[in-house]
Amino acid sequence: MDRYRSDVDSVSPIPVDLEHQLRSPLAPQKAFRYPIVRWSKWLNDLDGIDEVLATLPAALDRSIAAERIDVLLDDDKTAAAFVVAMIWGHGSSGYGPFRTARILTGTADPAGEPLSPNVLEELKRSVDIAHDGGAVSGYRYLNNDGKITGLGPAFFTKWLYFVTARGNPTSPDAAPVLDALVIEWLRRHAHVRIRSGRTADYSAYIDHLAAWGTATDHTPVEVEERIFRLIRNDGTPHDSTTENDERTNHDQPHTPARMAPRPERTRTDQILGRE
């Protein structure tokens, strides 16, 4: 099998339940509170992060995060923008701050360590590439030449989503998130096999979302959000469990054994061969 080509050679018909969801009103994501004390503990030592954390609202949703990240990127505060994206991505999980600190410092024990110049350069480069070439180009870069230790596809697509949204959470150019939950839903409900960590498959994924969105007057990221609402089996504002909590539990970034023990693999991980 050619790893550089997708097994998906045509767009599947839109699943009936997804079409119904797309043609029905959608309540906006409920803003969630995050463990600010833990984020401050692990990231305040990095230049510029403390100021950003101090000015963030106590609760985030897609719209708030998208607007704030866009401003930070315009101000050339890439690391701070990445932190906000990871706060949104990790939701209320307690380990998100530590994992994000390891990514940004490039070290196993990030306490007191400075921001890695190499990591910062890769993040900045990913912004330039995604802005110039779009979602698939950004994915290809972070999945290959710009790969950052600890930042796998499930979370770098969250970063690319905000980078390409440019402040508009439903932008037609925004990169849709692709994580284990969506991959499994597509396999079960649309009979589409998308593999994580394959740029060609990510492109095929976007093709599906775009086609389904065109048929119902939605952007690809709006289709992706509705797929996740179906995964949670509700179309209402989130209550005790947020979108981000669900996704974080299934898509923890890869951690080399020398850095820390890996969490127990879930059945979904085993099925999908998550990186």
Side-chain angles (χ1 to χ4, degrees), residues 4-22:
Y4 300 107
R5 298 183 62 184
S6 171
D7 291 341
V8 183
D9 55 10
S10 63
V11 174
S12 300
I14 181 171
V16 174
D17 51 353
L18 177 58
E19 183 173 8
H20 175 74
Q21 183 82 325
L22 288 166

Side-chain angles (χ1 to χ4, degrees), residues 222-234:
E222 289 178 311
V223 178
E224 177 266 316
E225 183 175 12
R226 282 160 176 77
I227 288 174
F228 194 76
R229 294 296 180 92
L230 287 172
I231 291 170
R232 291 199 63 239
N233 196 30
D234 72 25

Side-chain angles (χ1 to χ4, degrees), residues 183-246:
I183 288 174
E184 179 68 1
W185 187 91
L186 289 169
R187 185 185 70 81
R188 289 177 177 273
H189 296 269
H191 308 293
V192 176
R193 181 174 178 261
I194 299 294
R195 298 165 296 182
S196 178
R198 304 291 179 89
T199 303
D201 284 48
Y202 184 67
S203 180
Y205 166 60
I206 293 179
D207 287 345
H208 275 77
L209 299 187
W212 295 343
T214 298
T216 56
D217 196 26
H218 290 85
T219 66
V221 292
E222 289 178 311
V223 178
E224 177 266 316
E225 183 175 12
R226 282 160 176 77
I227 288 174
F228 194 76
R229 294 296 180 92
L230 287 172
I231 291 170
R232 291 199 63 239
N233 196 30
D234 72 25
T236 61
H238 302 177
D239 296 318
S240 60
T241 304
T242 69
E243 168 184 353
N244 313 69
D245 294 331
E246 293 270 358

